[in-house]
Amino acid sequence: MKLNPRTPPGRSNRKARACVAEIARLRLVGYGCQAIREALADAGVNVSKSTVQRELARLSRPAPIAAWQMPVLPAHQDPELAAPAAPTPTRQSLVSEHRCGKDIAEAFVKGRITNPLLRNRS
């Protein structure tokens, strides 16, 4: 069974939701929000400029993917195919030497001027 709603998607109290495709077309052609608003007013849809901006912002956002629309990746039985391509680095490989927090803080502050009234000598 396939359901076909009578109204466009979105909240039912959005005045410009039926004209979203036309708003997008006019924007792609190069019209500004005020010109699009005036064209909508000529067509009988009285909205503000911020409404047109909001509809354009909705168009630029990617549509959320429902759980039933997400692709299902096949599970591989071969361990070589299921393993990641590169091993993730461990904490030991990231730290070349062991330093305490005080040493790290001193290295960070060394050479920095913390008083905003003093200038850097260069």
Side-chain angles (χ1 to χ4, degrees):
M1 173 173 43
K2 184 175 180 179
L3 302 176
N4 294 318
R6 285 180 253 161
T7 60
R11 289 192 341 248
S12 61
N13 62 351
R14 280 177 37 208
K15 289 182 187 179
R17 82 180 165 145
C19 307
V20 171
E22 196 61 21
I23 291 172
R25 184 189 68 78
L26 290 173
R27 185 61 173 192
L28 285 175
V29 173
Y31 287 99
C33 293
Q34 184 64 29
I36 295 171
R37 188 197 69 75
E38 291 169 359
L40 287 171
D42 291 342
V45 181
N46 294 319
V47 294
S48 65
K49 182 180 164 187
S50 62
T51 300
V52 174
Q53 290 172 338
R54 195 176 318 116
E55 292 297 331
L56 289 170
R58 280 192 179 107
L59 289 171
S60 65
R61 281 191 303 222
I65 298 176
W68 59 272
Q69 291 175 325
M70 295 186 78
V72 177
L73 298 176
H76 295 289
Q77 300 300 328
D78 190 6
E80 291 179 2
L81 295 175
T88 57
T90 61
R91 184 171 176 101
Q92 289 295 335
S93 66
L94 295 176
V95 178
S96 60
E97 60 184 46
H98 294 284
R99 298 188 301 177
C100 67
K102 186 175 181 180
D103 295 336
I104 295 170
E106 285 178 3
F108 177 76
V109 175
K110 184 180 178 182
R112 295 182 188 267
I113 297 175
T114 57
N115 187 343
L117 300 176
L118 296 177
R119 285 194 235 170
N120 191 6
R121 292 183 186 175
S122 50

